[in-house]
C-alpha cells in the first residue's frame, strides 16, 4: 500500500517538475523577447549591422586585391563558373521541353490523320542517355 | 523522480549510447527522381495501391529540408498519402550554394515550380493536380497558382504566411524593418547566401530563444523506444536548417513583409501580375492553434481574396509541423482531398 502511494507521488512530482520546466522556459522566452524588443537595443543592433556591413565590404575589397596579386580565384570567380553550368542546364531544360512539345505535336498530327504511330525510341530517353554519357565522361 | 533517474541509469533504455549512435535514416518511403535541375529534384512516390488519378504535388519551405514530410516509417505524411492511394510528387529545392545567391522568388516560382508541375502532369499523364504548400512553400504555392495557366484542381495551404500586415513576434523589429529604420539589403548583398546557422538563430529568436523543454520530454519518456526514435528524427530536422538565398530573402523582406504586396495584389513575378483573385481552385486552408511561427492572422485573410467557389478554412489543434509528422492524414484532410480527386 505504501509503495503504491509513493509511486503515485513520484508520478505527480515528475509531472510537476516537467510542467515547472516548461513554464519556466516560457517565462524566460517572454522575458528574452521583451528585452529583445527594446527600441534602444534595436537602434544599437542597426548601428552594428551597418558597421558589420562596412567591415565585410572592406574585407572583400582587400581579399579581391590580394587574390589578384596571388593570382588565385575568389569565391565569386568560382561561383561564376558554376553559374555557367546552371545556365547550360537551363538551356538543356528548355530544349527538353521543346522536344516534348514537338513529340506531342507529331502524335496529335498522326492521330488527326488516322495513322498508326510506330513506337519510336523516345527523344526524352535519348536525351537522358546523352546526359548520362556526358556525366560519365566528366 | 529519483527512482525514474535511477532506473534510467541502471536499466537499458534507448537513451544509453544515444549520442554515439548514428542518426536514424530519414526519407525512407520508396521514391524515384523524375526531374533534376541544379540542386533541385522532383521526387515521385508511387501509390501503394493507386486509387486516385489526381496526383499530389508537395512544395515545402526554403528554410528547412523537406524530409520533415517523410521522417521515417509511420511518421511520414508522404507515406500516409501513398497508403491512401495517391501518387505523390515532392519538389525538393536542395541545399543552395553561393552560386545560387541571385535566385529570386521569380526564379523559384517559374523556373522550378512551374516547370516541375509541367513535369508532374507529363509523368502522371493527367491534366490537373492537387498542390499542397507547407509553410513558406504554401506562400510559393499561392503565388504560383495566381500566375500560372496550368489547371490546379485543388490548392491546400498548411501554415503558410500570406498576409504580413501583422507581426505577432518581435513586433518592434518588424516595424523597424517596415519603416526603414533597419535596412538589411546591403548586409544580405554582402553575404550573398545567408549561412544555415544564421537562419537557425533567426528562427529561434522569433519563436523560442531558450529551448530545453524537448530534453525534459526526452528524459521523462526515455523508456519509450518509439518516442526516442521520433525525438531523434525530429531534432535532426530542427537543427538541419539550410542556407537561404540572399536575393530571395531580400524579395521576401521588401515585397512581402515590408510592402505586403501578396495580399494586396501588387506583386509581380517575371512580368506576370500576382492576383489572388485569379485563384479559382478548390481551396483548403489549415492553421494550427499552437503555431508560434505562423499564427492564424497571417493565413486566414486569403479566404476573402480568392475567387474559388469551393473554399474551406480549418483551424485545428497542433503546432507548426504537427500535421507533417503525425504519420497519418487527419480525417478532415483525407476526406477533403478524397472528395475532390479523380478516382480510378
Amino acid at each position: 500500500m505504501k509503495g503504491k502511494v509513493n509511486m503515485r507521488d513520484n508520478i505527480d512530482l515528475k509531472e510537476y517538475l516537467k510542467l515547472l520546466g516548461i513554464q519556466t522556459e516560457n517565462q524566460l522566452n517572454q522575458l528574452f523577447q521583451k528585452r529583445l524588443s527594446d527600441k534602444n537595443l534595436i537602434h544599437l543592433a542597426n548601428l552594428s549591422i551597418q558597421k558589420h556591413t562596412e567591415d565585410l565590404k572592406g574585407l572583400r575589397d582587400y581579399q579581391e586585391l590580394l587574390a589578384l596579386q596571388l593570382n588565385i580565384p575568389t569565391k565569386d570567380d568560382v561561383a561564376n563558373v558554376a553559374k555557367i553550368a546552371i545556365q547550360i542546364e537551363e538551356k538543356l531544360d528548355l530544349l527538353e521541353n521543346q522536344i516534348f512539345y514537338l513529340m506531342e505535336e507529331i502524335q496529335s498530327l498522326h492521330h488527326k490523320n488516322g495513322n498508326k504511330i510506330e513506337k519510336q525510341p523516345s527523344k526524352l530517353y535519348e536525351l537522358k542517355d546523352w546526359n548520362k554519357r556526358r556525366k560519365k565522361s566528366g | 523522480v529519483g527512482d525514474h533517474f535511477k532506473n534510467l541509469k541502471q536499466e537499458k533504455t534507448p537513451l544509453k549510447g544515444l549520442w554515439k549512435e548514428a542518426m536514424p535514416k530519414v526519407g525512407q518511403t520508396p521514391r524515384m527522381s523524375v526531374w533534376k535541375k541544379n540542386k533541385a529534384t522532383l521526387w515521385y512516390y508511387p501509390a501503394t495501391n493507386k486509387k486516385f488519378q489526381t496526383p499530389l504535388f508537395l512544395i515545402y519551405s526554403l528554410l528547412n529540408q523537406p524530409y520533415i514530410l517523410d521522417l521515417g516509417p509511420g511518421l511520414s505524411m508522404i507515406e500516409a498519402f501513398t497508403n491512401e492511394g495517391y501518387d505523390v510528387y515532392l519538389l525538393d529545392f536542395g541545399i543552395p550554394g553561393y552560386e545560387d545567391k541571385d535566385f529570386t522568388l521569380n526564379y523559384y516560382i517559374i523556373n522550378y515550380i512551374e516547370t516541375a508541375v509541367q513535369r508532374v502532369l507529363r509523368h502522371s499523364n493527367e491534366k490537373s493536380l492537387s498542390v499542397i504548400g507547407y509553410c513558406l512553400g504554401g506562400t510559393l504555392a499561392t503565388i504560383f497558382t495566381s500566375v500560372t495557366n496550368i489547371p490546379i484542381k485543388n490548392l491546400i495551404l498548411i501554415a503558410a504566411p500570406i498576409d504580413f500586415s501583422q507581426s505577432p513576434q518581435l513586433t518592434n523589429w518588424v516595424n523597424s524593418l517596415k519603416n526603414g529604420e533597419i535596412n538589411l539589403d546591403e548586409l544580405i548583398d554582402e553575404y550573398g547566401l545567408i549561412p544555415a546557422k544564421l537562419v537557425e538563430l533567426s528562427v529561434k529568436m522569433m519563436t523560442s530563444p531558450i529551448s530545453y523543454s524537448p530534453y525534459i520530454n526526452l528524459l521523462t519518456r526515455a523508456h519509450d523506444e518509439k518516442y526516442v526514435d521520433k525525438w531523434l528524427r525530429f531534432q535532426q530536422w530542427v537543427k538541419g536548417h539550410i542556407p537561404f538565398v540572399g536575393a530571395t530573402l531580400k524579395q521576401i523582406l521588401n515585397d512581402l513583409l515590408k510592402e505586403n504586396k501578396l495580399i494586396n495584389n501588387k506583386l509581380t513575378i517575371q512580368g506576370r501580375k500576382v492576383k489572388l483573385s485569379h485563384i479559382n481552385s478548390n481551396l483548403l486552408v489549415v492553421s494550427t492553434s499552437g503555431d508560434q511561427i505562423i499564427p492564424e492572422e497571417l493565413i486566414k485573410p486569403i479566404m476573402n481574396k480568392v475567387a474559388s467557389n469551393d473554399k474551406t478554412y480549418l483551424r485545428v489543434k497542433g503546432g507548426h509541423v504537427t500535421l507533417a509528422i503525425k504519420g497519418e492524414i487527419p480525417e478532415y484532410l483525407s476526406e477533403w482531398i478524397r472528395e475532390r480527386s479523380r478516382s480510378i
Side-chain angles (χ1 to χ4, degrees), chain A residues 17-29:
Chain A
L17 281 175
K18 184 181 166 183
L19 198 71
L20 191 72
I22 292 167
Q23 278 177 353
T24 317
E25 186 192 81
N26 279 339
Q27 283 167 357
L28 280 170
N29 278 327

Side-chain angles (χ1 to χ4, degrees), chain A residues 18 21 24-25 29 32-33 36-37 42 45-46 52 57 60 76 83 86 89-90 93 96 100 104, chain B residues 35 37-38 98 102 107 111 119 122 172-173 181 186 190-191 205-206 208-210 212-213 217:
Chain A
K18 184 181 166 183
T24 317
E25 186 192 81
N29 278 327
F32 199 91
Q33 291 204 327
L36 209 64
S37 293
I42 296 172
N46 187 33
H52 181 51
K57 268 184 189 170
R60 180 184 294 268
D76 280 325
K83 275 182 189 172
I86 296 168
E89 211 180 7
E90 194 74 49
D93 212 46
E96 205 178 21
F100 279 138
E104 278 168 10
Chain B
W35 171 70
K37 185 157 77 175
N38 195 5
Y98 185 72
D102 298 321
Y107 194 84
N111 295 49
R119 297 295 169 129
R122 202 180 299 278
N172 285 349
W173 281 85
E181 276 175 44
E186 279 189 70
E190 276 309 313
Y191 271 94
M205 286 291 178
M206 273 176 64
S208 45
I210 298 158
Y212 56 78
S213 55
N217 291 335

Side-chain angles (χ1 to χ4, degrees), chain A residues 115-127:
Chain A
N115 294 343
K116 273 189 179 177
I117 307 162
E118 283 181 35
K119 271 260 179 191
Q120 294 282 336
S122 158
K123 289 282 177 207
L124 167 69
Y125 290 113
E126 280 176 28
L127 195 71

